[in-house]
Amino acid sequence: MHESSPSRKTAALQTSGALPLLALLAGNVALAFGPWFVRAADVGPVSAGLWRLVLAAPLLIALAYVGNARPFRVTRGMVGLIVFGAIAFAADLASWHLGILRTTLANSALFGNSATLFFPVYGFLAARTWPTRTQGVALGLAAVGAVLLMGRSYELSPKHFAGDLLCLLAGMLYTVYFVAMARVREAMAPFPALALATLAGILPMLLFSGLAGETIWPRHWGALIGLALASQVLGQGLMIYALGRLSPLVVGIGLLSQPIVAGTIGWVRYGEVLGLPDLLGAALVAIALVLVRRTPKLAPAD
């Protein structure tokens, strides 16, 4: 992913070989296990987010040096954007991990990934344009799906409703992170950008963990190592690889595997049975995600 010419970038985005598709699906499966690892950890949910970054940072730094002798060349302006994005990402992790313990795994995956719908709204506002008919339909379907999911959640348990709100907040915070890091990606390759954001997010996560009054030091490391490898290294790493090589429509369909896998884990491990309103709401959100990704996007910096 180090092509420099526009033609080669365009060609890369149109590639649909078996390897990028497998990477996309494997990345989403890995990310779907994140909520399970958070629940299994013997530290608080915010502290689990802290260890996710701490344990992943060395591997991400090593990956940043693969094929790049000087991966961390940044300007002063880029440093500010990275720090701003890292703070937003840390707040995203804190709210999402708190929400994971208060709702179903399927809902946490759906609402935690709602930034994919919020970011187009930011794009419309920034460009001062109205959405196309397809984009408007996608946003409308997403809104109806969210109402169905959250309404059903509140009916079953107000505790689930609070968890949904926390995960929705996490999705909004991730949008802020994405806006900042999209600017960074214009000048940096993906793994150096991800490594620096991970490093910059450690201190805010430590602060959030202290404010939450959680036990930070674990007695058992298995779940935390799994969280770091699955969510921060393997999941995001494979997604970064696939995003530059598959069309938006294929990526959108592939993303549907994440809430499906998370819902399956919740059903098998915690007995979280989904009702008809949940399934209908999830289907509407899934359709909206696919429609949003049908719109063309610029290739990221390599």
Side-chain angles (χ1 to χ4, degrees), residues 11 31 39 42 47 94 100 105-106 132 151 162 164 177 179 189 192 194 200-201 259:
L31 288 168
R39 288 190 178 185
D42 62 357
S47 298
I100 285 170
L105 294 190
T132 65
D164 288 343
Y177 163 79
V179 170
L194 181 58

Side-chain angles (χ1 to χ4, degrees), residues 1 19-20 23-24 191 236-246:
M1 295 182 67
L19 185 59
L24 173 68
F191 278 114
Q236 291 197 22
L238 289 173
M239 287 293 294
I240 288 174
Y241 168 79
L243 284 173
R245 289 166 170 79
L246 294 174

